[in-house]
Amino acid sequence: MRILSRSWRLAAIVLAAGLLVLPAGAAASAASSTSKPVSVSTAASAANDGEGPQFYSGLAVDVSGTVDGDVYASGQSVTISGKIKGDVIAAAQNITITGTVDGNVRLAGGSVIISGDVSRSGTVFAGSVNVTDAGSIGNDLVSAGGDVAIAGKIGRDLLVSTGQLTIDGTVGGNVTYQSNSAARIATGAVSGTVERVERQPSPEVEISPWAVFVGWLLGLLYALVALSLITIAAALLVPRVLQRVTDHLIPSPWKALLVGFVASIAVPVVLLALLVTVIGAPLALAGLLLWLVLMLATFVFSAYYIGRLVFRGNQHPVVKSLVGGVILIVALQIPWLNIVVWVAMVLFGLGAQLLAIHSQRPWHTRTETDAMPPAATPPTVGESPQTPA
């Protein structure tokens, strides 16, 4: 546990330093340069005087001169090929150290390669860490990465948390590593002891059956209250709409089921086809919004339909909606049965809504009005009714 706590503290330091590099690099880009050489590639945004803390940021940063101070660098690629008399704090996708660092290195990136000399200690967090046979770290190395390979020299202790640890070089002190697999260590590579710390599995929490039941009961109570309020509001606000839509389920429920089944397959395909076109994309988004509203409304209409089946009389719409909603909510809480109930609710509800929309189309209403015979005009006073010829 001490290994983990120490590693996480060092990780916080490295990540905080990486975040500080970004604004610092922008500030340093406005600094004036002097005659002391600090070579940086053209992709790096920095102008430094070679003394004191130096800040670099850019797509590709290469510090190839001599810096009499610390180096802070960030970018997609960071290379330290010069001589750094202080520390190096860097965050990048690829970090390569081929030069000399008199201080410590604190690195965070996707891939870290150290083939130069680091006089003091290193703290490295990366997807892969590689200390080549030409690289060396004078004191300790603390690292966390997917793969850690040590082919060079570590002066004192090595402390790592990794997926696979490989040591072909030399370690002057002890090796402590945390991994699910055994390390590959060459004979005589480690002067001290080698200790492997097994990763502790997450403790299994046993859930009491009573806790499961209480959770299910609370969920059922919440669903009853929330969905009952929705059905009551619909019955109070749009009772005629509920009546008109569910009228299509009373005489021919299987017709509504068929319409809902076909629509649930055809409508998403049509919306997807419209979405991939430039002209049809706005129409597809509007259609998607309307389709979601119809899907959500299936509960309200299904609850009212069940209430109409239960009460054959002229009960208030609120009573029908409330009782039907309670029955539907309870059925949706029963395992396995809830799948059948949910599918039936969606298909019947969609079919009934689409049939109601189809029956309210303007040309359909006008045709029915034109087909009705004109009402007979009552005769005026003193005038006998005319007999048709």
Side-chain angles (χ1 to χ4, degrees), residues 119-188:
S119 299
R120 300 181 67 182
S121 298
T123 304
V124 182
F125 293 86
S128 64
V129 180
N130 184 13
V131 180
T132 67
D133 53 0
S136 66
I137 296 178
N139 294 335
D140 302 329
L141 173 61
V142 178
S143 177
D147 293 312
V148 176
I150 307 298
K153 180 182 178 181
I154 306 297
R156 295 194 310 197
D157 296 338
L158 175 63
L159 177 64
V160 297
S161 175
T162 181
Q164 181 63 56
L165 172 63
T166 303
I167 302 177
D168 294 323
T170 59
V171 177
N174 301 324
V175 173
T176 305
Y177 70 99
Q178 184 184 59
S179 177
N180 291 330
S181 59
R184 302 169 185 170
I185 302 176
T187 304

Side-chain angles (χ1 to χ4, degrees), residues 16-364:
L19 292 176
L20 290 174
V21 166
L22 297 178
S29 62
S32 59
S33 61
T34 61
S35 58
K36 292 188 177 182
V38 178
S39 175
V40 182
S41 65
T42 56
S45 59
N48 300 281
D49 56 9
E51 294 182 356
Q54 306 297 302
F55 302 91
Y56 307 93
S57 66
L59 185 63
V61 176
D62 183 8
V63 182
S64 58
T66 300
V67 177
D68 189 10
D70 298 336
V71 169
Y72 297 83
S74 68
Q76 184 175 356
S77 174
V78 172
T79 301
I80 307 296
S81 58
K83 180 177 178 60
I84 311 301
K85 296 183 179 181
D87 297 339
V88 173
I89 297 93
Q93 183 176 351
N94 298 306
I95 301 176
T96 304
I97 296 180
T98 60
T100 302
V101 179
D102 292 342
N104 303 302
V105 293
R106 297 181 178 90
L107 312 174
S111 173
V112 173
I113 299 175
I114 299 176
S115 57
D117 296 325
V118 178
S119 299
R120 300 181 67 182
S121 298
T123 304
V124 182
F125 293 86
S128 64
V129 180
N130 184 13
V131 180
T132 67
D133 53 0
S136 66
I137 296 178
N139 294 335
D140 302 329
L141 173 61
V142 178
S143 177
D147 293 312
V148 176
I150 307 298
K153 180 182 178 181
I154 306 297
R156 295 194 310 197
D157 296 338
L158 175 63
L159 177 64
V160 297
S161 175
T162 181
Q164 181 63 56
L165 172 63
T166 303
I167 302 177
D168 294 323
T170 59
V171 177
N174 301 324
V175 173
T176 305
Y177 70 99
Q178 184 184 59
S179 177
N180 291 330
S181 59
R184 302 169 185 170
I185 302 176
T187 304
V190 179
S191 301
T193 61
V194 177
E195 179 185 0
R196 176 185 174 187
V197 180
E198 294 282 351
R199 285 196 174 99
Q200 298 297 327
S202 301
E204 296 183 0
V205 180
E206 295 184 1
I207 302 177
S208 171
W210 285 104
V212 176
F213 175 75
V214 171
W216 174 83
L217 191 62
L218 292 176
L220 177 61
L221 180 62
Y222 174 79
L224 282 172
V225 174
L227 296 177
S228 295
L229 292 176
I230 294 175
T231 55
I232 291 174
L236 291 174
L237 297 175
V238 287
R240 293 183 179 180
V241 176
L242 295 177
Q243 185 75 21
R244 183 168 62 248
V245 171
T246 54
D247 281 343
H248 294 277
L249 293 172
I250 298 297
S252 55
W254 302 114
K255 180 180 179 181
L257 178 65
L258 179 61
V259 171
F261 176 75
V262 173
S264 63
I265 298 176
V267 171
V269 174
V270 173
L271 292 178
L272 183 61
L274 290 174
L275 191 60
V276 298
T277 62
V278 177
I279 300 178
L283 184 61
L285 295 177
L288 179 61
L289 179 61
L290 177 60
W291 184 250
L292 291 176
V293 172
L294 295 178
M295 289 283 290
L296 294 175
T298 56
F299 175 84
V300 176
F301 293 113
S302 299
Y304 189 78
Y305 173 62
I306 295 174
R308 290 186 64 176
L309 295 179
V310 174
F311 298 103
R312 296 292 183 175
N314 295 325
Q315 278 74 15
H316 196 277
V318 172
V319 177
K320 296 179 182 179
S321 296
L322 184 59
V323 174
V326 170
I327 296 174
L328 188 57
I329 293 168
V330 173
L332 288 172
Q333 300 297 319
I334 300 175
W336 299 107
L337 178 62
N338 55 0
I339 300 176
V340 179
V341 173
W342 185 84
V343 172
M345 177 189 73
V346 171
L347 296 184
F348 279 111
L350 282 176
Q353 293 179 80
L354 293 176
L355 289 175
I357 295 173
H358 180 264
S359 64
Q360 293 298 314
R361 64 193 191 278
W363 57 89
H364 183 270

